[in-house]
Amino acid sequence: MNGAGTALDEARAALRARQGAGARYDADGAPHTELAWARAGTAFFARALAELSDADLSASSLLPGWDRRALIAHVGYNARALTRLCTWGRTGTECPMYASPRQRAAEIARGATLPARALRSLFAHSEVHLNVEWRDLPGPAWDASVVTAQGRTVPLRETAWMRTREVWVHAVDLGGGAGFRDIPPGLLDRLAADVLAAWERRGERPALTLAATDRDAPLAVAPGGGPSVTGTAADLTRWLTGRGARRLTCDHGELPRLPRWL
């Protein structure tokens, strides 16, 4: 009996060694809200993608100049790029998102030519890899400085928000029926704030009041006046992100032209 028990204990120990440390959990210092949004957005994009047939993938997306194939390739390779930033933050060795803008564009163009099954796998596998990297990051690594594709130096925790924007907004861009109305209220408000912050950094923010009919307070108030645009938070955010205007009214007549978001 003792010999059998010892052998069983040894077998269990060997199994634990093969399986590793077990379940992975985000570090205490991780950006938990943004990670939850990113993971929910990944599921949102996956559902939107699953509703499209293989033939549908070759149609135009709602994003001007992009077909669905290019958009899906972009979302997949974006996860790979953010994974490289995680490597940078974890190891301290510089590992940029892309070697150059040309390399990024070529990668997307090449990915858009993949067979439908491979294109779907690119999205699925790349998001799993990114999620594993996030789960394995120690707490202090989340505050390591990395550089985005736009040249901004940010803490690594920013990758969770960067991915959140990608998956939620591009799920709508697929044009399969998902809309800004499907985005959670808190995330909608954060997206609107992100657009305003991007304009502020570039010195392009227009004097504009955004009066959301389904919020207790405006999404933004223009100091010293300026046009006031009214609509639901979903419709206002759609417009701010450059996805077109629907059901909005402006007290100055026509809606003003907006700077680009990203």
Side-chain angles (χ1 to χ4, degrees):
M1 290 293 293
N2 289 340
T6 299
L8 182 58
D9 290 342
E10 291 175 349
R12 286 173 174 166
L15 177 60
R16 284 195 295 271
R18 290 197 303 272
Q19 290 178 330
R24 294 180 171 94
Y25 299 96
D26 298 326
D28 290 340
H32 299 287
T33 296
E34 289 78 6
L35 286 171
W37 278 339
R39 289 164 180 154
T42 295
F44 185 59
F45 188 96
R47 286 194 298 272
L49 179 56
E51 290 171 359
L52 299 175
S53 69
D54 288 352
D56 291 336
L57 300 186
S58 297
S60 296
S61 76
L62 298 183
L63 189 62
W66 290 69
D67 64 18
R68 285 169 171 160
R69 286 181 156 276
L71 191 63
I72 296 162
H74 163 61
V75 172
Y77 287 124
N78 170 263
R80 296 269 177 86
L82 294 177
T83 297
R84 289 191 281 273
L85 290 188
C86 290
T87 300
W88 184 347
R90 177 170 47 80
T91 65
T93 300
E94 184 174 340
C95 191
M97 292 182 69
Y98 306 100
S100 68
R102 179 178 294 182
Q103 179 263 325
R104 173 181 177 271
E107 189 174 59
I108 293 171
R110 184 173 60 252
T113 68
L114 292 171
R117 182 175 179 179
L119 190 58
R120 295 177 190 275
S121 294
L122 168 64
F123 166 73
H125 293 167
S126 61
E127 68 89 1
V128 169
H129 188 187
L130 175 59
N131 201 42
V132 169
E133 286 290 327
W134 278 337
R135 286 276 166 86
D136 284 349
L137 282 172
W142 284 106
D143 292 313
S145 293
V146 295
V147 180
T148 71
Q150 290 76 36
R152 294 177 57 228
T153 300
V154 299
L156 184 60
R157 64 181 56 254
E158 186 77 5
T159 59
W161 173 244
M162 292 163 66
R163 187 60 176 172
T164 295
R165 294 184 312 208
E166 292 287 332
V167 287
W168 282 99
V169 175
H170 286 325
V172 176
D173 290 335
L174 282 177
F180 278 82
R181 63 189 179 280
D182 300 315
I183 298 177
L187 176 51
L188 273 176
D189 296 349
R190 177 71 180 273
L191 281 169
D194 190 84
V195 177
L196 298 174
W199 292 343
E200 194 76 50
R201 284 194 300 269
R202 300 196 302 264
E204 298 175 353
R205 180 169 176 170
L208 191 67
T209 293
L210 304 173
T213 57
D214 50 350
R215 296 289 188 273
D216 294 332
L219 296 182
V221 177
S228 178
V229 179
T230 301
T232 65
D235 288 337
L236 288 168
T237 304
R238 177 192 295 111
W239 178 57
L240 291 173
T241 57
R243 268 66 185 177
R246 297 180 185 174
R247 299 177 291 270
L248 300 178
T249 60
C250 179
D251 64 357
H252 281 41
E254 291 187 5
L255 293 171
R257 292 189 62 180
L258 298 179
R260 64 179 175 84
W261 174 22
L262 297 173

